[in-house]
Amino acid sequence: MSEAVRLVIWDLDETFWSGTLVEGGLNENIHYAETVKELSKRGIMNSICSKNDFSSAREILERLGVWDFFIFPSINWSSKGERVQGIVDRVKLRPETIMFIDDNPMNLREVSSVVPNIQIENENFLPRLLSDPRFVGKNDNQLKRLADYKILEAKNEVLETRGGDSHAFLRDSGITVELDYDIENNLTRVIEIINRTNQLNFTKNRLSNDISEAEKQIREDLSHYDRHAALVRVRDRFGDYGYVGFFLQARGAGYNNLKHFCFSCRTLGMYIEKWIYDYLGAPDVNLVGDVLTDLSDATIMPDWISIYQPDLAEVEALKGTGGTILLCGGCDLDAVSHYVKTTFDRTALFTNTTRLGAIIPQCLGAHLKGFMTTTVFFFASWDIPPKTLL
């Protein structure tokens, strides 16, 4: 059975609409605009490959209120095979998940020869398209997936104006990565990423299709003391891509490996997966199936990616009215001080130290500060001047 369809590429004349635009026989009352909108609400994208005048076709589609529902439209007079291949390359989807619909058998044969494994249908299929099991999709009434592809479309336009210099483009894009460790409140997205990603799913350790069982499985995976897991959120100057990746790492003395390492194809070409892999210390990964990025390739150095920093205005709003905080305790307060210093004007850190090979717990010294004689006597065996500690 054919795979679920994630993108429909439409011909226009005698397919999307009734009649032929350039011959003046177009009937604007008969068309599939509502089908395109419904597909978008199911998370299934739509594109165009038509032999037509671009401006005229766009004007009609805008009048029908459906132009903005298409991504990477290709409307000109050149052959369709290479143009469909170009759309496939831009959307970064496998041909098996794409359907091309055209009323002309020659166009269907041409596209099939240029793009093997793409699904094809003629115009007679359209009345039953929405009821076909390949088009069930997933509820996306907010059109989030369409918005994501519109970002990708805008990026491609900018890249083309730069003459295809992808690395210069990426460095100018301001790409940031945020690691969100709140797995429990985002289990649905975690399961979706694990089960639906393919091209950048390196381990392909799928979870159950039953959501309750899948949640149980991922919670079990996370329950071990040596697990490090996070959702990966990506932003750049074009927009917010949301959660586009997930990793689950097991690490300890003498081992560092990945149980899950998977990313959405919407960030393909940014090399988010390579940056995360290096960030995690190049863990061992049991590679399953084909993937589009070689994690071991030392020539890929995504220096265009940085850790996300919140808006400075947001940080300022969190600050208090000033003051000083004294942190006395174990060395773990080093990490705590990073967070509290945004609230206080001055942070004084008083933590463990080492003298002559012995660890001196500063928190103990702080507790005994009120008993000067006792404190001095206690540390006398290390021959440390009292003023060092008090």
Side-chain angles (χ1 to χ4, degrees):
M1 181 179 176
S2 299
E3 292 191 39
V5 174
R6 301 180 68 182
L7 169 70
V8 178
I9 303 177
W10 296 77
D11 171 47
L12 293 179
D13 292 338
E14 301 292 3
T15 303
F16 174 79
W17 54 44
S18 177
T20 305
L21 178 58
V22 295
E23 295 177 359
L26 182 63
N27 185 345
E28 291 191 29
N29 294 317
I30 303 176
H31 53 75
Y32 283 92
E34 293 305 314
T35 298
V36 167
K37 293 178 182 179
E38 176 59 28
L39 288 173
S40 298
K41 291 178 181 178
R42 298 181 185 185
I44 300 170
M45 298 298 96
N46 298 270
S47 186
I48 299 171
C49 186
S50 171
K51 291 183 179 180
N52 249 311
D53 176 70
F54 180 89
S55 298
S56 300
R58 175 172 179 168
E59 180 183 346
I60 294 172
L61 291 167
E62 287 178 337
R63 193 155 58 238
L64 295 176
V66 76
W67 172 254
D68 289 333
F69 285 83
F70 291 104
I71 60 173
F72 299 105
S74 177
I75 305 173
N76 58 56
W77 299 103
S78 63
S79 298
K80 292 192 175 184
E82 294 299 326
R83 287 199 283 144
V84 168
Q85 180 65 67
I87 294 171
V88 173
D89 293 341
R90 286 175 173 83
V91 297
K92 298 177 173 61
L93 294 174
R94 293 180 299 113
E96 292 86 348
T97 66
I98 299 173
M99 178 178 286
F100 173 61
I101 305 176
D102 198 302
D103 67 302
N104 188 322
M106 182 178 294
N107 289 335
L108 294 175
R109 289 194 296 270
E110 178 190 351
V111 168
S112 292
S113 67
V114 176
V115 190
N117 300 321
I118 193 170
Q119 301 184 50
I120 59 170
E121 293 284 355
N122 61 31
E123 77 284 8
N124 297 321
F125 170 71
L126 290 172
R128 63 180 189 276
L129 182 150
L130 291 176
S131 61
D132 188 286
R134 291 171 290 178
F135 293 85
V136 172
K138 181 185 177 184
N139 183 15
D140 187 19
N141 285 328
Q142 301 302 313
L143 304 180
K144 178 66 169 63
R145 189 170 180 81
L146 176 60
D148 289 339
Y149 272 103
K150 284 296 183 180
I151 292 174
L152 182 61
E153 189 177 49
K155 291 174 62 175
N156 271 269
E157 290 176 0
V158 174
L159 178 57
E160 289 174 2
T161 63
R162 287 180 167 270
D165 186 346
S166 60
H167 284 193
F169 168 75
L170 289 168
R171 291 188 179 96
D172 189 46
S173 294
I175 302 169
T176 64
V177 165
E178 178 183 3
L179 301 184
D180 190 336
Y181 296 98
D182 186 8
I183 306 300
E184 183 62 32
N185 287 320
N186 293 286
L187 280 178
T188 299
R189 182 54 180 158
V190 169
I191 294 166
E192 183 179 54
I193 292 174
I194 291 172
N195 284 349
R196 294 190 63 184
T197 54
N198 288 295
Q199 295 169 302
L200 292 175
N201 190 323
F202 293 82
T203 60
K204 296 184 175 63
N205 288 325
R206 309 297 189 185
L207 302 173
S208 171
N209 290 324
D210 178 83
I211 187 67
S212 297
E213 181 61 25
E215 289 178 355
K216 180 180 178 181
Q217 289 172 335
I218 195 65
R219 286 192 177 103
E220 167 60 26
D221 287 339
L222 292 165
S223 66
H224 303 277
Y225 73 93
D226 62 348
R227 299 300 161 87
H228 172 218
L231 278 157
V232 179
R233 183 173 180 177
V234 174
R235 301 173 177 87
D236 65 15
R237 69 183 180 90
F238 296 94
D240 185 343
Y241 299 81
Y243 295 128
V244 298
F246 173 73
F247 67 81
L248 195 159
Q249 178 186 25
R251 62 183 182 185
Y255 65 93
N256 181 12
N257 56 69
L258 291 165
K259 182 175 179 60
H260 293 291
F261 196 65
C262 38
F263 299 83
S264 167
C265 61
R266 75 181 69 169
T267 58
L268 189 61
M270 292 183 180
Y271 293 103
I272 301 296
E273 64 283 358
K274 183 63 166 66
W275 189 91
I276 293 290
Y277 181 73
D278 293 341
Y279 179 84
L280 295 176
D284 295 329
V285 53
N286 181 27
L287 189 64
V288 176
D290 294 329
V291 288
L292 297 181
T293 300
D294 181 0
L295 297 174
S296 64
D297 189 347
T299 65
I300 303 175
M301 296 179 290
D303 56 3
W304 47 81
I305 300 173
S306 61
I307 286 288
Y308 172 74
Q309 298 293 335
D311 191 305
L312 290 178
E314 297 177 12
V315 175
E316 289 297 321
L318 294 173
K319 283 192 174 183
T321 56
T324 300
I325 184 171
L326 174 63
L327 299 175
C328 299
C331 54
D332 54 331
L333 285 179
D334 264 327
V336 175
S337 67
H338 170 77
Y339 298 97
V340 301
K341 66 185 179 183
T342 62
T343 304
F344 294 89
D345 289 339
R346 182 170 177 267
T347 302
L349 187 60
F350 201 59
T351 62
N352 298 344
T353 188
T354 302
R355 293 290 187 274
L356 303 178
I359 297 177
I360 302 174
Q362 305 286 36
C363 54
L364 181 58
H367 290 316
L368 297 175
K369 187 174 181 180
F371 305 94
M372 179 63 71
T373 304
T374 307
T375 304
V376 172
F377 176 78
F378 180 83
F379 290 110
S381 60
W382 282 290
D383 194 24
I384 300 172
K387 65 180 181 180
T388 304
L389 299 170
L390 300 176

